[in-house]
Amino acid sequence: MNIPLRHCRVCLGERLTPFLSLGKMPPINSFPAGEDDFVAEKFFDLTVAFCEDCSHAQLTEALDPKAVFSDYVYFSSMSDTFVAHGRELAMELKEKMKLSEKDLVAEIASNDGALLQSFKSLPTRILGIEPARNIATVARERGFPTVVEFFTEELGKRLREEYGPARIILGTNVLAHVLDLRDFVRGIRSFLADDGAAVIEVPYLVNLIDGLEFDTIYHEHLSYFRVEVLDRLFQSEGLLLFDAERIPLHGGSLKVFIGHPNGPHERTARVGELIAFERERDLGTIAPYQAFALRVAAVRERTLEFLRGLHDAGKHIAGYGAAAKGNVFLNYCQVGPDLIEFIADRSPHKQGRFTPRNHIPVVAPEEILRRMPDILVIFAWNFADEIIFQQSEYRQRGGKFAMLLPEPRVIL
Ligand SMILES: [Zn+2]
């Protein structure tokens, strides 16, 4: 079920040097239901390597995407922040690209239509592409035409024949998950209209390093991107990265715009500025990656001290957000239900189940007020403001919040 990395996903070179190991982990979005599932859990190596040829940071081992994504538990519409982000993007593109009725807006990994719903108010045709059948079914019920397949070069060609070229291709939460990046990029090239733009968002490597966001490293995220490497990736398949921008989503992301080199788009100065910024930080060499790995090991020690200190002082600790981030953190730090009594999560697909490997019970958010833990650790730190707002009554009753990155601390 695991697929070892044989060559770099971007440049196809073979000189890969591992720099960070987070140990053995189960698939991070598999939530066992009880004892029978616990004994059947499987563990896979979670290690990140640096390509000595193009400097791309990537996992050395991938899970079979068909096993991970065919029946998925993450529904984008669960997140208010994400839905608001979609609204802004739709307005921006309407303006920039002067979209009209004949234009096709297609989204790769469209999930339940959380982003496409913002494009419904525009006079364009829309199309979702989503490999998880259970999620695509929800999207269709909500009125979004959805093709249930993985996006590949072959599919890109087929969609162009069937629907015509896409004026906009959205890929806001997909590129880091892709096993065969070059094939995926060829798919975009095939499907994208001559005057079209693909809008790709990825978590930014610089934010990962600076914010010590190692909990975004898990089996589904195969690649950790920066502008210079993305530029090389698209260029190698005959596309032009013509604009790049840092955005706050998911702890700090990059939004890049891709077009055909002979299309109407001029490359902006921002692209060169960001590449220069990355070079100043030596991100083409392995040294900053090795320094990052040392900081990750140190924060594990401080987190364990922090949680044990609270526990020894008689505090009841619970968590909020049984998302991948929390599971990576708990697994790497080996924290179980002895320290974190339960984790609240809005997704009914997770409630009544347990976190992978450490087996902390996952409950509905209503349990927080019923059980009133002294400390609520926010694992989904990218949605911290939203969670604190939702849990205002817990706070009024004297409950405290804690965050673990980049430094474990009680925040409110
Ligand atoms: Zn490479």
Side-chain angles (χ1 to χ4, degrees), residues 124-169:
T124 57
R125 294 178 293 141
I126 53 176
L127 178 69
I129 302 151
E130 170 54 55
R133 186 162 293 279
N134 62 325
I135 293 183
T137 303
V138 174
R140 283 174 175 165
E141 281 164 5
R142 297 176 66 207
F144 303 104
T146 304
V147 175
V148 189
E149 275 183 73
F150 282 94
F151 189 75
T152 59
E153 179 178 21
E154 191 272 321
L155 181 65
K157 286 180 176 164
R158 196 149 35 90
L159 291 175
R160 187 185 184 108
E161 279 168 23
E162 213 166 309
Y163 297 89
R167 190 79 203 297
I168 301 274
I169 297 178

Side-chain angles (χ1 to χ4, degrees), residues 217-259:
I217 296 172
Y218 51 95
H219 290 117
E220 289 169 23
H221 290 165
L222 301 173
S223 290
Y224 302 88
F225 289 110
R226 63 193 180 90
V227 180
E228 189 171 22
V229 169
L230 284 168
D231 186 35
R232 177 170 184 156
L233 170 66
F234 287 102
Q235 202 178 13
S236 65
E237 294 294 351
L239 286 171
L240 172 73
L241 188 159
F242 66 86
D243 198 7
E245 183 189 350
R246 293 182 75 168
I247 55 171
L249 195 73
H250 298 309
S253 295
L254 274 179
K255 175 160 69 173
V256 296
F257 289 78
I258 311 298

Side-chain angles (χ1 to χ4, degrees), residues 8-13 51 53-56 58:
C8 170
R9 293 189 172 87
V10 169
C11 76
L12 312 181
C51 173
D53 294 317
C54 77
S55 81
H56 183 45
Q58 55 205 302

Side-chain angles (χ1 to χ4, degrees), residues 68-279:
V68 176
F69 294 110
S70 295
D71 183 28
Y72 204 48
V73 291
Y74 180 75
F75 285 84
S76 300
S77 296
M78 290 286 174
S79 157
D80 301 339
T81 308
F82 188 77
V83 171
H85 172 67
R87 270 197 298 273
E88 278 172 34
L89 187 61
M91 293 320 292
E92 180 192 346
L93 291 175
K94 181 189 171 193
E95 198 80 0
K96 244 188 196 162
M97 298 290 292
K98 307 201 170 26
L99 296 173
S100 73
E101 284 160 26
K102 61 179 180 19
D103 289 330
L104 174 66
V105 174
E107 185 186 11
I108 305 173
S110 49
N111 202 275
D112 59 2
L115 188 65
L116 281 178
Q117 78 186 23
S118 303
F119 288 79
K120 252 190 157 175
S121 59
L122 305 185
T124 57
R125 294 178 293 141
I126 53 176
L127 178 69
I129 302 151
E130 170 54 55
R133 186 162 293 279
N134 62 325
I135 293 183
T137 303
V138 174
R140 283 174 175 165
E141 281 164 5
R142 297 176 66 207
F144 303 104
T146 304
V147 175
V148 189
E149 275 183 73
F150 282 94
F151 189 75
T152 59
E153 179 178 21
E154 191 272 321
L155 181 65
K157 286 180 176 164
R158 196 149 35 90
L159 291 175
R160 187 185 184 108
E161 279 168 23
E162 213 166 309
Y163 297 89
R167 190 79 203 297
I168 301 274
I169 297 178
L170 303 167
T172 60
N173 186 24
V174 63
L175 200 66
H177 301 202
V178 174
L179 197 58
D180 188 343
L181 283 174
R182 300 281 288 259
D183 178 70
F184 185 92
V185 171
R186 287 194 295 272
I188 292 178
R189 191 182 63 200
S190 301
F191 191 22
L192 189 64
D194 292 347
D195 64 346
V199 184
I200 307 289
E201 289 176 2
V202 288
Y204 192 20
L205 176 73
V206 169
N207 293 96
L208 165 68
I209 290 176
D210 288 354
L212 209 59
E213 296 167 2
F214 75 89
D215 56 352
T216 61
I217 296 172
Y218 51 95
H219 290 117
E220 289 169 23
H221 290 165
L222 301 173
S223 290
Y224 302 88
F225 289 110
R226 63 193 180 90
V227 180
E228 189 171 22
V229 169
L230 284 168
D231 186 35
R232 177 170 184 156
L233 170 66
F234 287 102
Q235 202 178 13
S236 65
E237 294 294 351
L239 286 171
L240 172 73
L241 188 159
F242 66 86
D243 198 7
E245 183 189 350
R246 293 182 75 168
I247 55 171
L249 195 73
H250 298 309
S253 295
L254 274 179
K255 175 160 69 173
V256 296
F257 289 78
I258 311 298
H260 290 286
N262 50 0
H265 309 291
E266 292 284 326
R267 188 158 165 142
T268 66
R270 292 199 287 197
V271 178
E273 285 161 15
L274 279 166
I275 290 175
F277 162 72
E278 293 169 359
R279 286 187 183 162

Side-chain angles (χ1 to χ4, degrees), residues 285-337:
T285 72
I286 199 170
Y289 302 84
Q290 289 170 330
F292 170 70
L294 291 176
R295 287 165 59 217
V296 170
V299 85
R300 168 166 61 183
E301 297 312 311
R302 290 198 296 275
T303 296
L304 287 170
E305 262 171 44
F306 173 76
L307 292 176
R308 284 189 192 126
L310 290 168
H311 182 258
D312 292 349
K315 304 288 187 198
H316 291 281
I317 312 169
Y320 195 103
K325 285 185 179 58
N327 293 338
V328 171
F329 205 105
L330 294 165
N331 193 55
Y332 176 60
C333 297
Q334 293 292 302
V335 171

